[in-house]
Amino acid sequence: MRQHEARRSGSAPGLRASGVVALGAAVATGFAAALPLVWLFGFTVDDALVSGRVAWNIAHGLGHRFNRGGPVVDAVTPLGWAYVLAPFARSGPLAALYFAKYFGAALSVATMAWLGARTARESGGAVRLVVLVPLALGAPLAAWCGAGMETGVVVALATVAVGPSRFSLLVAGLAAAWRPELAPWSAALGVGRVVARSAREGTSLDAWRAGGAVATSLSPALAVAAVRLLAFGRPVPLAFFAKPSDLAHGAFYVLACLIWTGAPALVIAPWAVRRLDGDSRAILVAGAVHCGSLLVCGGDWMAFFRLFVPVLPGLFLVGARLVAVAPRWASTLRVLVAASVSALLLFTKGRAARGVLAERLALVARAEPLLRGAERVAALDVGWVGAATAADIVDLAGITDDGVAMLHGGHTSKRIPATFLKERHVDAAVLLANGLVSSGQPPAHVAWARAVEARVAREAAALGFTVKATLELPSEGQRYFVLTLQDGSE
């Protein structure tokens, strides 16, 4: 009887994996995580180059600025991330991007290897590692850990947070400090851990202990909010204002996350969940709370569900634990569903995604001579444009500009004043147009891709801007127009 109980609780020493098995599991898990990461290493987003440009200015002693002569600005950079990149950014934003990509990729592989070793040490045998199949096909985790943003670091923190470390709550708080939407997840994980501990000890819930857990898990985020208030004049990131969203978009985003990220399918086991330990259930509750957080904040417009990625390792961990306690047929079904949706996303979207970096590098190379001599360039996609020129960038989305961020409208539809270009002394603009339009077409007659670009183009035509060149964006069937102001034009 005692042996049976020990087997169920995983406490029997003979059932724990040896160091060799744990090492093998670590290698297998790291390899599984590396496969889609290598395939998608060409994926990136413009926001990564925004951070790289801020890091470039820091590296040259100019401070946390997007424009060399501009104000100190928050941008889309998590507080502190640009300083991590700065030592590697002296030669420009692209150098910072490459470091961030390799750093995030290496960190994510190491983190998942640690998670694999940790899983192998628990009871249930090697059968738990069947969850490596959907992991090896998972596009979201791989794409974002190698995209050149802070996601790889946040994933590492969130993974350690669901582990057994005595500092797990503080580590969860550090993840929330860099990604504010993780704050409810961090607090829920803390309270869930306290509830699980009380259940193990057979005691009632200690309110003081629960309150301390919440304080510990939220203190880093609150500290960052205070620093933001002192440094930038507001406690929340500028992107909160620049990229407003709504509940409808948030609901669609959460639903898509639950379907397409694969790992949620591994934990759909309403009966088997009751046989899990309290810590595992705390991870699941925290994941559900995170879904509520994404619903309220409106999700995200970027591909591959960036905001959901940090909780994926925790779901893989719980999924592996479920394999040990659920019927074999049910575990097989869950793994097949998770692997199928992961493969579908990877192979339908992966080919285009892996070409994003090469496409951006081509745009930067072609735009650099075209923008040479410009002093102030207006653009919506300020990441790659900021990598192509050292000129001041006038941000039409507001992610690096307080004044534009506070205007009415969404991320791509800011209600720019009719005299915006003249007031900002803009002498060049880079605007995206729909379709393969003629390079000689007047800017006033082009079908612009975003509402704010149409507004800017009307003023540009009135001020005498002319089309200097067009830059093709093959993956989208679109073109960027490079507009410049003629000499002597007002």
Side-chain angles (χ1 to χ4, degrees), residues 100-142:
K101 286 177 68 65
Y102 283 105
F103 179 62
L107 191 58
S108 69
V109 171
T111 300
M112 296 310 294
W114 174 84
L115 187 65
R118 176 64 199 172
T119 302
R121 290 190 181 99
E122 298 177 353
S123 65
V127 68
R128 288 173 177 268
L129 297 181
V130 70
V131 298
L132 295 185
V133 178
L135 175 62
L137 296 168
L141 187 65

Side-chain angles (χ1 to χ4, degrees), residues 142-154:
W144 282 108
C145 286
M149 295 186 70
E150 78 291 343
T151 311
V153 179
V154 176

Side-chain angles (χ1 to χ4, degrees), residues 47 242-244 301 380-381 395-399 409-414 452:
D47 282 6
K243 300 180 178 181
W301 62 272
L380 178 64
D381 299 319
D395 182 1
L396 301 178
I399 61 172
H411 175 218
T412 62
S413 59
K414 294 296 185 185
V452 68

